[in-house]
Amino acid sequence: MDSKSKDLLEKLKNEHSLDIKDYEYLLTNRDENLMDLAASYAREFQQKYYGNKVFIRGLIEFTNFCKNDCLYCGIRRSNQKCERYRLSKDTIIACAKEGYDLGFRTIVLQGGEDYTYTDEMLCDIISEIKSAHEDMVVTLSIGERSKESYKKYYDAGARRYLLRHETANPKLYARLHPKEMSWQNRMDCLKNLKAIGYQTGAGFMVQSPGQTDYDLAMDLKFIEEFKPDMCGIGSFISHKDTPFAKEKSGTLEVTLFCLSLIRLIYPQVLLPATTALGTIHPKGREMGILAGANVVMPNLSPTNVRKMYSLYDNKICTGDEAAECINCLKQRIASVGYEVVTAPGDRVGHCFSSERH
Ligand code: 5AD
Ligand code: FES
């Protein structure tokens, strides 16, 4: 670790802001000592705001049909080898109930961009879940839709929305996505979600094909400026049936370092140790927690569809029942000295009331 890196890290810890060039410098000059120091600062903030608590959200992957064709993603519409499924309204509601009975107070309804689920259907699902379980927080992660649609889901009771920006660099965005997809539209969606009052999650892929340290530094700057309530990051992992099949997957180290930097940029942020992290290393999620993450998202989807939601190769947890998955995660989290809590887990200091808006 050179003295400039140490000074920059110190500055980030105190001021929660750096120039893009300085983020880039930290990424380029990353070594084991710098990573350790970043992780120990990150744990100080984690401890200060959240103690040793790790929040848990149940993920229901309800459709793998997708109208998009992102070059990296295994469920892109051109992937003819992907076996498709949709869960019925009743199945989704039954999964939510199972989650509730297992103690979850936040569920994430995630899917490809599948307009077979109309606004009316989605609102119906959201409001049924809310009326069955008043204290369940419903999170959506269904991609880009209009502001009007987002407002309808909010009015039906959804309060959180996850939409990764994928990359803060429009040029890199254009290399990872087909022509018809627009970086600007994605950014507008994020702004709309925030304006409506959603607790909003953004996020990016680490080491996606062609990504430079400067690109990653732009992502860190974006997080600093946009201040999403949650930030989901994971390394790019190649999928055999995509145009990026032969591209190198990202490394555990760079993702862990990014997690620590994000915690320093925004100490109260909700930061998941993602399934992608658990996929690139058997102890990836535990290491993610030790690098500053404080959320895990086990899968509540029915086991018979799990394998089909294959965004990247070798995705973990595709064979386990929800209950097994939670117990496994609880043990993993406990093994590094943390405790899983099922409460909705707001970002601290966030004014969150179902009465708002
Ligand atoms: N590797 C890593 N992450 C991926 N995602 C999609 N495909 C891949 C991949 N091959 C991520 C994207 C998307 C989220 C649902 O999964 O960031 O937003
Ligand atoms: Fe799903 Fe371990 S978290 S099996």
Side-chain angles (χ1 to χ4, degrees):
M1 173 170 52
D2 61 17
S3 66
K4 179 170 174 188
S5 305
K6 188 160 190 284
D7 291 348
L8 287 175
L9 204 60
E10 222 50 66
K11 182 170 182 217
L12 184 59
K13 183 190 180 201
N14 295 322
E15 298 174 14
H16 314 297
S17 168
L18 290 178
D19 291 339
I20 296 187
K21 277 264 163 228
D22 291 336
Y23 284 126
E24 183 192 25
Y25 187 91
L26 285 175
L27 290 163
T28 305
N29 293 280
R30 179 183 59 81
D31 65 13
E32 216 173 300
N33 290 333
L34 188 65
M35 280 183 69
D36 285 349
L37 190 63
S40 76
Y41 289 165
R43 285 196 299 272
E44 283 178 29
F45 286 125
Q46 193 192 40
Q47 207 60 38
K48 176 170 169 194
Y49 291 108
Y50 296 104
N52 68 340
K53 294 193 172 20
V54 170
F55 298 114
I56 193 160
R57 281 92 167 84
L59 194 60
I60 302 173
E61 297 159 335
F62 66 93
T63 171
N64 71 350
F65 281 85
C66 191
K67 76 169 184 55
N68 285 338
D69 217 15
C70 310
L71 276 74
Y72 46 84
C73 184
I75 66 169
R76 65 201 300 268
R77 66 161 188 266
S78 310
N79 181 8
Q80 311 269 333
K81 294 204 180 133
C82 174
E83 194 186 335
R84 308 282 168 173
Y85 73 92
R86 287 189 178 103
L87 300 185
S88 67
K89 173 183 158 186
D90 288 350
T91 308
I92 299 171
I93 289 169
C95 286
K97 180 180 181 331
E98 187 185 359
Y100 191 88
D101 293 343
L102 287 165
F104 285 92
R105 291 300 174 266
T106 305
I107 47 155
V108 184
L109 302 181
Q110 184 167 85
E113 290 196 12
D114 181 358
Y115 283 80
T116 303
Y117 295 86
T118 59
D119 287 351
E120 288 62 36
M121 283 166 73
L122 289 164
C123 288
D124 211 27
I125 293 167
I126 297 161
S127 52
E128 280 214 21
I129 294 174
K130 286 300 291 179
S131 56
H133 320 286
E134 206 192 343
D135 55 340
M136 182 82 120
V137 178
V138 177
T139 305
L140 297 178
S141 178
I142 53 172
E144 297 173 34
R145 297 219 179 191
S146 69
K147 187 169 185 186
E148 293 67 43
S149 297
Y150 287 157
K151 180 75 171 65
K152 285 185 194 162
Y153 314 144
Y154 190 91
D155 292 340
R159 285 295 175 273
R160 293 179 176 162
Y161 204 106
L162 309 180
L163 181 72
R164 292 188 176 181
H165 64 282
E166 308 298 359
T167 169
N169 181 350
K171 291 206 182 95
L172 178 58
Y173 191 91
R175 289 209 296 272
L176 300 175
H177 298 93
K179 272 199 197 59
E180 72 270 13
M181 285 183 74
S182 138
W183 178 86
Q184 192 55 54
N185 190 55
R186 207 157 182 93
M187 289 295 168
D188 291 345
C189 285
L190 280 168
K191 285 179 197 140
N192 289 339
L193 290 163
K194 238 191 182 181
I196 291 168
Y198 280 101
Q199 295 186 47
T200 304
F204 52 94
M205 267 185 304
V206 178
Q207 296 175 293
S208 54
Q211 187 185 56
T212 63
D213 284 344
Y214 192 83
D215 294 328
L216 256 187
M218 286 175 75
D219 285 314
L220 296 174
K221 194 67 186 174
F222 172 76
I223 297 303
E224 182 194 309
E225 289 171 347
F226 185 73
K227 289 220 162 15
D229 298 278
M230 181 183 263
C231 181
I233 68 164
S235 46
F236 161 74
I237 302 173
S238 62
H239 186 291
K240 60 181 182 354
D241 304 318
T242 64
F244 288 160
K246 297 241 149 56
E247 299 287 340
K248 261 207 342 251
S249 297
T251 66
L252 176 73
E253 285 74 19
V254 179
T255 311
L256 293 176
F257 190 49
C258 286
L259 285 173
S260 298
L261 294 179
I262 293 167
R263 174 68 61 211
L264 301 186
I265 290 168
Y266 190 10
Q268 290 114 309
V269 73
L270 293 165
L271 197 56
T274 55
T275 307
L277 202 54
T279 299
I280 48 172
H281 189 284
K283 291 241 155 49
R285 287 168 299 176
E286 292 88 319
M287 290 156 111
I289 302 292
L290 291 172
N294 68 335
V295 177
V296 284
M297 299 184 167
N299 204 317
L300 287 179
S301 316
T303 26
N304 64 320
V305 301
R306 295 254 187 115
K307 278 202 170 47
M308 293 183 240
Y309 204 84
S310 163
L311 305 178
Y312 43 78
D313 289 338
N314 306 315
K315 189 172 166 224
I316 54 166
C317 302
T318 53
D320 306 271
E321 293 294 342
E324 290 165 353
C325 205
I326 298 169
N327 286 332
C328 158
L329 258 185
K330 281 187 177 160
Q331 279 169 26
R332 287 171 177 272
I333 302 303
S335 76
V336 286
Y338 289 74
E339 182 200 354
V340 166
V341 290
T342 45
D346 277 350
R347 171 170 65 69
V348 286
H350 188 98
C351 155
F352 178 57
S353 131
S354 51
E355 263 30 275
R356 217 153 53 99
H357 302 275

